[in-house]
Amino acid sequence: MELIQQLVNGISLGSIYALIALGYTMVYGIVKLINFAHGDVFMVGSFVGFYSITVLHLPFIVSLILSMAVCAVFGVLIERIAYKPLRNATRIAALITAIGVSLLIEYGFIYVRGAQPEAYPGDVLPEHAVHIFGAKINSQSLLILGVSVALMIILQFIVHKTKIGKAMRAVSFDAEAARLMGINVDRTISATFAIGSALAGAAGVVFGVYYIKIEPLMGVIPGLKAFVAAVLGGIGIIPGAMVGGLLLGVIESLVSAFGYSLWRDGAAFIVLILILIFLPSGLFGKYKREKV
């Protein structure tokens, strides 16, 4: 029974990692950039949700949508100001810029509002025990999992059934050919940042509701773990990010369940090392060995 409980907790946590990882993998798939500021967009989303609930007294779903909208705009601003001028620059220049943007957001946020943590109200979502196969499961875990899965399904619909989704797949496959076919590549890249950032904003609100405490540097560790999840599934592959996030969440929960909770964070990075050694293209990627 304890195992079922830990699996549900792991899948709920993993769904949060998956939402953040989707932003990493979508951006990498199109512009081959690891956006290390993505974890800080997640943090901003969490605070937008917090103030929406506590100051504006908005319900959970409205706060979630507002947070997604604010983060989508924020993501586009980051792309236009920081990354667009470096579109043709070296990879290392873009990577260093991403780290710089991350630090600027974190410490700019601390300068504006201070470093003190906040706590989400405990009654944002109804909380009661649900019995599944004899195990007692927190209803919040199931609601969070439901919201995350719904957002992933919507993303799959956008990518495969809409015009902007087709443009994103075309740019990901060959940006120059897409440009020649009349696709506005710059607009498509901005749309990708907007969608990825909106998902990170949603993850921030869900994280706040689930873990209560939020603070300005909260995006660092979940952001890095989501990057591990993206690499685990295969960076640049959307289903891979989803599966990678869920797997990582389950691994962390099982590590805690076996009494090694102090190794919980370390487990994610052990997974990263093992994946890079034995399966560098990830679970869903195709490994291509370069000819010498």
Side-chain angles (χ1 to χ4, degrees), residues 30 155-174 178 183 188 192 195:
I30 286 189
L155 174 66
Q156 285 293 86
F157 176 81
I158 290 170
V159 169
H160 292 283
K161 300 294 183 183
T162 65
K163 191 174 178 182
I164 191 65
K166 290 174 183 175
M168 284 161 58
R169 284 185 287 140
V171 172
S172 174
F173 190 75
D174 190 330
I183 293 172
T188 304
T192 304
I195 294 169

Side-chain angles (χ1 to χ4, degrees), residues 176-197:
E176 284 307 310
R179 198 187 302 275
L180 291 171
M181 294 299 291
I183 293 172
N184 188 325
V185 173
D186 287 337
R187 190 185 301 163
T188 304
I189 291 170
S190 292
T192 304
F193 270 86
I195 294 169
S197 299

Side-chain angles (χ1 to χ4, degrees), residues 10 17 71 107 122 175 181 187 196 218 261:
Y17 290 154
C71 286
Y107 291 99
M181 294 299 291
R187 190 185 301 163
M218 63 178 277
S261 56

Side-chain angles (χ1 to χ4, degrees), residues 24-44:
Y24 277 114
T25 213
M26 287 170 68
V27 168
Y28 185 84
I30 286 189
V31 290
K32 299 295 180 284
L33 166 73
I34 303 295
N35 178 19
F36 279 116
H38 195 61
D40 301 298
V41 175
F42 158 81
M43 175 271 292
V44 169

Side-chain angles (χ1 to χ4, degrees), residues 6-7 9-11 13-14 17 228 232 243-258 260 263-264 266-272 274-275 283:
Q6 289 297 336
L7 283 173
N9 290 341
I11 292 169
L13 174 62
Y17 290 154
V228 172
L232 173 60
V243 173
L246 294 172
L247 270 177
L248 192 62
V250 169
I251 289 167
E252 280 195 21
S253 286
L254 291 178
V255 167
S256 294
F258 287 118
Y260 298 101
W263 284 87
R264 184 188 176 107
F269 300 105
I270 291 169
V271 168
L272 177 63
L274 292 174
I275 282 289
L283 297 175

Side-chain angles (χ1 to χ4, degrees), residues 15-289:
S15 65
I16 296 173
Y17 290 154
L19 287 177
I20 309 171
L22 284 166
Y24 277 114
T25 213
M26 287 170 68
V27 168
Y28 185 84
I30 286 189
V31 290
K32 299 295 180 284
L33 166 73
I34 303 295
N35 178 19
F36 279 116
H38 195 61
D40 301 298
V41 175
F42 158 81
M43 175 271 292
V44 169
S46 194
F47 273 95
V48 171
F50 170 76
Y51 288 122
S52 299
I53 291 166
T54 57
V55 178
L56 301 179
H57 305 291
L58 298 175
F60 170 73
I61 292 296
V62 179
S63 300
L64 185 77
I65 293 168
L66 179 62
S67 178
M68 290 175 72
V70 170
C71 286
V73 173
F74 189 46
V76 171
L77 285 174
I78 291 170
E79 189 270 329
R80 288 294 170 97
I81 295 168
Y83 300 144
K84 190 178 178 183
L86 299 172
R87 198 67 53 80
N88 298 315
T90 59
R91 292 274 187 90
I92 193 68
L95 183 66
I96 291 168
T97 301
I99 295 169
V101 170
S102 173
L103 293 170
L104 177 65
I105 294 169
E106 288 167 14
Y107 291 99
F109 201 81
I110 288 172
Y111 178 78
V112 170
R113 71 163 294 281
Q116 69 274 18
E118 299 283 4
Y120 266 69
D123 58 351
V124 176
L125 289 175
E127 187 174 0
H128 54 269
V130 178
H131 293 273
I132 301 174
F133 299 115
K136 194 165 73 171
I137 309 297
N138 188 333
S139 61
Q140 280 194 355
S141 298
L142 298 177
L143 283 168
I144 284 164
L145 180 59
V147 168
S148 302
V149 170
L151 289 170
M152 290 181 208
I153 291 169
I154 292 167
L155 174 66
Q156 285 293 86
F157 176 81
I158 290 170
V159 169
H160 292 283
K161 300 294 183 183
T162 65
K163 191 174 178 182
I164 191 65
K166 290 174 183 175
M168 284 161 58
R169 284 185 287 140
V171 172
S172 174
F173 190 75
D174 190 330
E176 284 307 310
R179 198 187 302 275
L180 291 171
M181 294 299 291
I183 293 172
N184 188 325
V185 173
D186 287 337
R187 190 185 301 163
T188 304
I189 291 170
S190 292
T192 304
F193 270 86
I195 294 169
S197 299
L199 291 173
V205 178
V206 167
F207 184 94
V209 170
Y210 195 57
Y211 287 101
I212 308 296
K213 181 188 169 187
I214 59 171
E215 44 97 14
L217 298 180
M218 63 178 277
V220 177
I221 296 297
L224 287 174
K225 287 182 181 177
F227 171 64
V228 172
V231 173
L232 173 60
I235 192 88
I237 301 165
I238 288 175
M242 296 178 186
V243 173
L246 294 172
L247 270 177
L248 192 62
V250 169
I251 289 167
E252 280 195 21
S253 286
L254 291 178
V255 167
S256 294
F258 287 118
Y260 298 101
S261 56
L262 291 176
W263 284 87
R264 184 188 176 107
D265 289 341
F269 300 105
I270 291 169
V271 168
L272 177 63
I273 292 165
L274 292 174
I275 282 289
L276 291 176
I277 292 171
F278 297 108
L279 202 65
S281 57
L283 297 175
F284 285 67
K286 294 179 181 177
Y287 181 55
K288 296 178 182 177
R289 187 181 295 277

